[in-house]
């Protein structure tokens, strides 16, 4: 059985040498001289107006796109053998925020592809432990990952691409690398390597392992070749942006670059590499990871905190910096969200005339709003500085709150509703664009929060049922009189009948309120059904008429 190995990344990418084509010292000297010639070259295209820290050049560079207002983006996806944890979530949420900034604030259409590693040593090992096929295991955890990302409000990529569905393309890619003189076959895994940094492109299959037929025997792809092939299959030899966690910068992304530049015979593949910082557990310098067994799964996290709270946590730091996770840091995020929500509620109350204040200095607020918009755009243009942008929003809220001090006596002065309406609109628009919501009415439809919604509706329907039963029931004395009767007292019957009609008239508003509640909830897809003794409810798929109309208008 053969083992295919790619030439060492530094040699293949920078020097164009075959591994083992010369002595170690000679190769090193040639590599250094070539590296100076192969420095990062600013791409030709359209300036997006954004400065981004590029790991390839190790400095901030103008983000220049090959096509005007269109960005091609490849994202390293998960290896699907277990539940996603918060370290994964932090990276994906941070890049989701960047994607939304590019789209909503700079008008850039993002075409994103994410590779799914669905065959791997860890997948095979876990499948054997669970006595199931690697393919079945991978499908289960792939779907699990997608559900976690949806719960965190991470936008799906334009396309997910599985490794197992691109095996012929991977084999063809390897053949081209061999033809270009930068890979070789070996019969032993380690002993026949020509260079210590050479890495596997195709791994020989072990007995009973899932494998594919190739010119080098049965086997499966190595790790690095997967992303090179998938990204090249979609975007060719030109890629604007490549993202992943900082732990992927070397060797994974270095090797991707080596393979792609050999395959495409190009001087520069992948113009911008953006890397997210690690998430650390409080009191530890180690990243959160499964191997260290110091992780919190996304599902467990969402039992305690909301997706908006986690997104605010991510917004408070630069995407490239390491962050410390703790309950205290999450409480800080929660407090910020509460402050924003409280301001929006107070400002809405002021607009509606429910909060009486002294005359407002509109000129100050208009000026603050305008300067906030400028600061936010400048912050995002400076390597997606979300912490500075959020600080600008909080400063705007501070100045808005200063003039929303309630007074006991209404002087009759006109309300400054327009400026506060504009501030609310901008703040809600800002957070909506970044994947969050501060609207007054929020209805959860998926995830763990749906259980809370279900319990709330249960309580509401039970309360309505009690009110309805009370409104329909006759008093015990009146009921007895009607059942038993009184042949010698027609006047008493007439009196009981009048009393009953009076009670029905008095309780009619309760029944009308019950009917009104049923009709109002039906508009949002929640249907109450009144039975003889109980009332039940169900939620329609796709929401109700009101939500569908709202979505249609948007």
């Amino acid at each position: 059985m053969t083992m295919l190995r790619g030439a060492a990344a530094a040699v293949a990418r920078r020097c164009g040498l075959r591994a083992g084509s010369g002595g170690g010292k000679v190769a090193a000297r040639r590599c250094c001289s070539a590296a100076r010639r192969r420095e990062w070259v600013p791409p030709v295209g359209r300036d997006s107006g954004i400065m981004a820290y590029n790991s390839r050049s190790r400095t901030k560079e103008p983000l220049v796109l090959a096509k005007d207002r269109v960005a091609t983006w490849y994202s390293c996806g998960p290896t699907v053998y277990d539940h996603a944890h918060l370290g994964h979530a932090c990276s994906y949420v941070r890049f989701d925020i960047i994607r939304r900034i590019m789209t909503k604030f700079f008008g850039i259409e993002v075409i994103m592809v994410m590779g799914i590693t669905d065959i791997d040593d860890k997948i095979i090992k876990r499948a054997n432990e669970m006595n199931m096929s690697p393919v079945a295991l991978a499908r289960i955890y792939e779907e699990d990952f997608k559900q976690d990302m949806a719960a965190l409000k991470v936008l799906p990529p334009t396309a997910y691409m599985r490794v197992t569905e691109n095996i012929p393309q991977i084999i063809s890619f390897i053949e081209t690398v061999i033809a270009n003189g930068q890979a070789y076959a070996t019969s032993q895994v380690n002993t026949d390597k020509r260079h210590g940094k050479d890495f596997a492109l195709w791994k020989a299959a072990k007995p009973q392992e899932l494998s594919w037929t190739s010119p080098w025997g049965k086997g499966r792809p190595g790790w690095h070749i997967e992303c090179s092939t998938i990204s090249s299959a979609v975007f060719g030899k030109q890629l604007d942006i490549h993202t992943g966690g900082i732990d992927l910068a070397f060797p994974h992304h270095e090797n991707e670059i080596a393979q792609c530049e050999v395959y495409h015979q190009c001087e520069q593949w992948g113009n911008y590499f953006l890397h997210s910082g690690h998430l650390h557990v409080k009191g530890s310098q180690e990243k959160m990871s499964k191997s260290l067994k110091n992780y919190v799964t996304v599902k467990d996290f969402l039992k305690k905190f909301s997706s908006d709270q986690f997104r605010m946590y991510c917004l408070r730091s630069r995407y490239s910096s390491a962050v410390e996770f703790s309950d205290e840091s999450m409480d800080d995020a929660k407090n910020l969200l509460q402050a924003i929500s409280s301001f929006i509620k107070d400002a809405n109350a002021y607009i509606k005339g429910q909060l009486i204040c002294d005359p407002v200095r509109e000129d100050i607020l208009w000026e603050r709003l305008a300067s906030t918009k400028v600061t936010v755009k400048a912050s995002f243009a400076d390597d997606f500085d979300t912490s500075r942008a959020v600080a600008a929003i909080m400063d705007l809220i501070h100045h808005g709150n200063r003039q929303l001090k309630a007074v006991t006596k209404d002087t009759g002065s006109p309300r400054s509703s327009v400026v506060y309406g504009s501030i609310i609109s901008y703040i809600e628009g800002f957070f909506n664009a970044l994947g969050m919501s501060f609207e007054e009415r929020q209805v959860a439809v998926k995830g763990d929060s749906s259980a809370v919604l279900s319990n709330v509706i249960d309580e509401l329907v039970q309360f309505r049922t009690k009110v309805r039963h009370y409104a329909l029931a006759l008093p015990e004395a009146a009921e007895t009189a009607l059942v038993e009767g009184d042949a010698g007292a027609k006047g008493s019957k007439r009196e009981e009948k009048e009393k009953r009609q009076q009670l029905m008239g008095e309780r009619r508003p309760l029944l009308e309120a019950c009917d009104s509640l049923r009709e109002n909830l039906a508009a949002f897809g929640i249907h109450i059904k009144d039975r003889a003794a109980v009332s039940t409810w169900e939620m329609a798929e796709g929401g109700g008429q009101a939500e569908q109309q709202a979505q249609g208008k948007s």
Side-chain angles (χ1 to χ4, degrees), residues 21 44 82 123 136 216 224 285-286 311 347 351 361 417 444 448 509 531 549:
S21 62
V44 176
D82 205 345
I123 294 173
W216 319 284
H224 312 301
Q285 295 302 310
E286 297 175 325
R311 193 161 286 245
I351 292 171
R361 286 288 306 275
S417 300
D448 291 333
R531 315 292 184 182
Q549 289 176 347

Side-chain angles (χ1 to χ4, degrees), residues 11 15-24 26-27 30 181-182 184 194-195 198:
V11 176
C15 305
L17 297 176
R18 278 177 139 186
S21 62
V26 175
R30 291 180 185 174
Q182 299 299 334
Y184 56 90
R194 299 178 186 173
H195 191 285
D198 288 358

